[in-house]
Amino acid sequence: VGAAAAGSVLAFNSGKVETQSDPVLIGVTLGMLLVPFCIIALITCNVLEPRYASGCGFASYMAIAAWWMAEARAAALDKSCSEHGGAPTVTETTSTPPSTVAVTEEKKCAEEDGRVSLPPVASSLPATPESHDLGVQTRFRYNDPLQVATVDEIQIYMKEAARAEDGIFLLGNADDDELQAMGFQPETSQNDGKVKIFSRRERNGVKTWHASCTLPFPASHAWHNIASVPVHENWNKTVLEYYSVAPLSANTDLTYTAACSECAGLVSSRDFYIARRVARRKLPDGRVSWGSGGCSVPLASDPGQPNRTRGWNDVGGFVVIAPADGSDGSCCVVWIINSDLKGWLSKHLIELAITTVIGKFYTALASELEKTRCTQEAGHTDNEFEE
């Protein structure tokens, strides 16, 4: 049993299994739990029945290998299992304000037990003229970025945001042939083939992902739901928290994102501080492209939280492309991801988690756009809809 359970894990780790399935996840968990039993059996068989020792030794080796790959699961969930039934949740912090909307049970649990105690949230700010022209609405937790970051850090944020803007438009507006010319290879599609995925392995071993999907909704509608942070957090079930920390310029801000755990908790919650910039560009073929791009940045005032691993994102974000003919019936939504999730997990497990998140994201986005279509067509504002 130990060999069979751990063998499924090793098959998954070698890339033979590319999709999330219950046998793989069960194999990881069983392999981890069977380690002590296999070791005891190995010692016992060596003493009492040597002819069974080789088979038992093989089972022990496989189970130990499975445990090694799953050790991050035990470390990440050790405390939260005893307090909240196994799911990583928001923990006590002195740097990030609590969410105002509990969209998952993990949020509700953290808010109800009072573990988040923070200074009062700063007054909400209206969108700046430039971001308002781009159809972006946001509310900042702090009016002044100097409340959370130093001058040197803010200068870094602005440079990284500018780099991210150029990067997402370069990748987000590329077609399949251009992507392959840049070294991207096609991956298994998601959502019954509706979401096309390409990836490229970078020099540091982390993959850059390019996911795209054509949706039967106006580009302005999709862009608003993606780039407007308070709206985005409400429907995106792959995040625990997502908010704008402070404005950096008319179209640049510092955001905080905490991602949900994935693969049945094998990949625990990761969080990121991102210097984000929104922009709009007109392409040579007449299409209009909106982009929300960012990069991870350091924040000395919040070095990390106990139950969340601080990840690191290189250039990434979203691009929404309107058709060249000016029609308003569909759009292409592109998601660029380059996430180093840190920790000691197998790279194949991390890549599985990312592809799983991609599928969940597009499913949730399409559902939200369909749900709010009638509201948009009737001319209601988002504030009216939320109320």
Side-chain angles (χ1 to χ4, degrees), residues 143-154:
N143 295 337
D144 187 346
L146 290 175
Q147 292 178 268
V148 292
T150 65
V151 173
D152 290 340
E153 286 178 328
I154 293 172

Side-chain angles (χ1 to χ4, degrees), residues 310-332:
R310 180 62 48 83
W312 190 265
N313 286 342
D314 203 347
V315 172
F318 302 95
V319 176
V320 179
I321 307 171
D325 59 10
S327 62
D328 206 21
S330 67
C331 66
C332 179

Side-chain angles (χ1 to χ4, degrees), residues 16-55:
K16 303 300 183 183
V17 180
E18 295 292 344
T19 58
Q20 183 179 9
S21 59
D22 289 339
V24 172
L25 298 179
I26 292 172
V28 173
T29 305
L30 285 179
M32 180 175 64
L33 295 177
L34 287 171
V35 169
F37 295 100
C38 288
I39 292 176
I40 293 172
L42 175 61
I43 296 173
T44 303
C45 284
N46 270 311
V47 174
L48 301 180
E49 197 63 57
R51 63 180 176 175
Y52 294 133
S54 59

Side-chain angles (χ1 to χ4, degrees), residues 84 87-90 101-113 115 237 239-240 260:
H84 300 288
T89 67
V90 181
V101 181
V103 297
T104 65
E105 289 302 318
E106 292 171 305
K107 284 184 179 179
K108 292 177 181 177
C109 186
E111 291 176 351
E112 288 171 0
D113 69 13
R115 290 186 296 148
K237 307 306 181 186
V239 298
L240 293 174
C260 295

Side-chain angles (χ1 to χ4, degrees), residues 165-360:
E165 177 189 349
D166 292 336
I168 62 160
F169 278 115
L170 173 65
L171 295 178
N173 294 313
D175 59 27
D176 293 356
D177 292 336
E178 291 171 332
L179 287 173
Q180 293 189 52
M182 289 187 281
F184 283 82
Q185 299 298 324
E187 296 272 355
T188 304
S189 59
Q190 293 284 314
N191 298 10
D192 299 325
K194 296 177 182 177
V195 180
K196 290 196 302 182
I197 302 177
F198 287 81
S199 72
R200 179 181 67 192
R201 182 81 62 186
E202 306 297 347
R203 291 181 180 179
N204 62 356
V206 176
K207 276 188 175 182
T208 296
W209 301 82
H210 179 289
S212 63
C213 180
T214 299
L215 299 173
F217 303 97
S220 58
H221 189 189
W223 169 248
H224 170 71
N225 279 273
I226 290 172
S228 296
V229 174
V231 179
H232 188 138
E233 188 195 25
N234 284 342
W235 60 263
N236 190 349
K237 307 306 181 186
T238 69
V239 298
L240 293 174
E241 286 188 275
Y242 180 41
Y243 58 81
S244 293
V245 180
L248 302 175
S249 74
N251 65 335
T252 309
D253 61 357
L254 175 66
T255 67
Y256 174 80
T257 304
C260 295
S261 58
E262 290 296 336
C263 296
L266 294 175
V267 180
S268 61
S269 178
R270 262 64 174 170
D271 66 350
F272 310 85
Y273 278 102
I274 303 292
R276 181 187 74 137
R277 177 166 294 177
V278 295
R280 177 175 54 205
R281 296 185 182 182
K282 190 168 184 179
L283 306 181
D285 60 6
R287 294 177 298 164
V288 177
S289 178
W290 290 267
S292 172
C295 294
S296 280
V297 291
L299 185 64
S301 61
D302 183 9
Q305 300 183 30
N307 244 25
R308 291 177 182 172
T309 302
R310 180 62 48 83
W312 190 265
N313 286 342
D314 203 347
V315 172
F318 302 95
V319 176
V320 179
I321 307 171
D325 59 10
S327 62
D328 206 21
S330 67
C331 66
C332 179
V333 176
V334 180
W335 189 8
I336 308 298
I337 307 170
N338 184 307
S339 291
D340 183 356
L341 299 184
K342 306 298 184 180
W344 294 93
L345 290 173
S346 156
K347 66 181 181 181
H348 293 289
L349 184 60
I350 291 176
E351 290 165 8
L352 171 63
I354 291 176
T355 56
T356 300
V357 169
I358 289 173
K360 289 181 178 180

